[in-house]
Amino acid sequence: MKNITIAIAALIIGSFVFSSCKKYEDGPALSIHTKKGRVAGDWEVEKYMEDGVDKTSDYRSIIASEDLKNSKDGTYTISETATSLFGGGTTSDAGTWEFINSKDDMRTLSNQSGAVADTAQIIRLTNKEMWTKSVSGSPVIETHYKAK
């Protein structure tokens, strides 16, 4: 009887522990990968929203493709190729990224002279998805990235 009581207590305590592990608004509840390990990788935009309205098709009418590479060492590179309607050229940038606010947000800073840091709230972070939301300015931009 004592073993059953201990097992039930362990289940109850375990459910509280695991329910509190969910860091980001849209999950996941638990991951074997570190947050830095989940941010690191090659990403492309899957969905682009402004003020809660899906604007992915508008985004894709301007940007044909992008490649965001985040490294575990806190650096990033990004290249974007415009659609033929906008000349089809490719632009690129590089800089640094870091977690801030207890890893709730991510700040990026371009290496370009005079660049201002951008901050985005992380709302979902798995090894295959990274969703961010701008935390300042208007409109509020929410970007859903998927792993390449």
Side-chain angles (χ1 to χ4, degrees), residues 43 46 124-131 145-147:
W43 301 97
E46 180 175 42
R124 179 169 178 79
L125 183 59
T126 70
N127 60 334
K128 295 184 183 201
E129 294 178 301
M130 178 173 61
W131 299 359
Y145 297 93
K146 68 177 181 177

Side-chain angles (χ1 to χ4, degrees), residues 39-43 68-72 75-77 97 106 130:
V39 168
D42 293 349
W43 301 97
L68 170 62
K69 295 180 190 290
N70 289 325
S71 298
K72 282 186 178 180
T75 60
Y76 75 86
T77 59
W97 69 269
M106 185 168 58
M130 178 173 61

Side-chain angles (χ1 to χ4, degrees), residues 105-116:
D105 301 331
M106 185 168 58
R107 179 175 28 220
T108 56
L109 180 61
S110 170
N111 290 337
Q112 294 181 7
S113 176
V116 176

Side-chain angles (χ1 to χ4, degrees), residues 18-40 43 97-107 120-127 129-133 135 142:
F18 286 116
S19 67
S20 66
C21 287
K22 187 173 180 177
K23 174 74 174 173
Y24 302 114
E25 183 178 313
D26 286 313
L30 188 63
S31 176
I32 60 171
H33 302 284
T34 65
K35 289 170 186 66
K36 188 176 264 193
R38 285 180 273 162
V39 168
W43 301 97
W97 69 269
E98 65 179 335
F99 289 117
I100 59 172
N101 301 328
S102 300
K103 298 185 181 179
D104 286 336
D105 301 331
M106 185 168 58
R107 179 175 28 220
Q121 176 187 14
I122 300 169
I123 53 177
R124 179 169 178 79
L125 183 59
T126 70
N127 60 334
E129 294 178 301
M130 178 173 61
W131 299 359
T132 62
K133 184 187 296 185
V135 294
E142 185 173 319

Side-chain angles (χ1 to χ4, degrees), residues 6 42 44 46 50 55 58 78 88 90 104 115 118-119 127:
I6 292 172
D42 293 349
E44 63 186 342
E46 180 175 42
E50 292 180 8
K55 299 278 187 159
D58 294 344
I78 185 168
T90 299
D104 286 336
D118 288 322
T119 301
N127 60 334

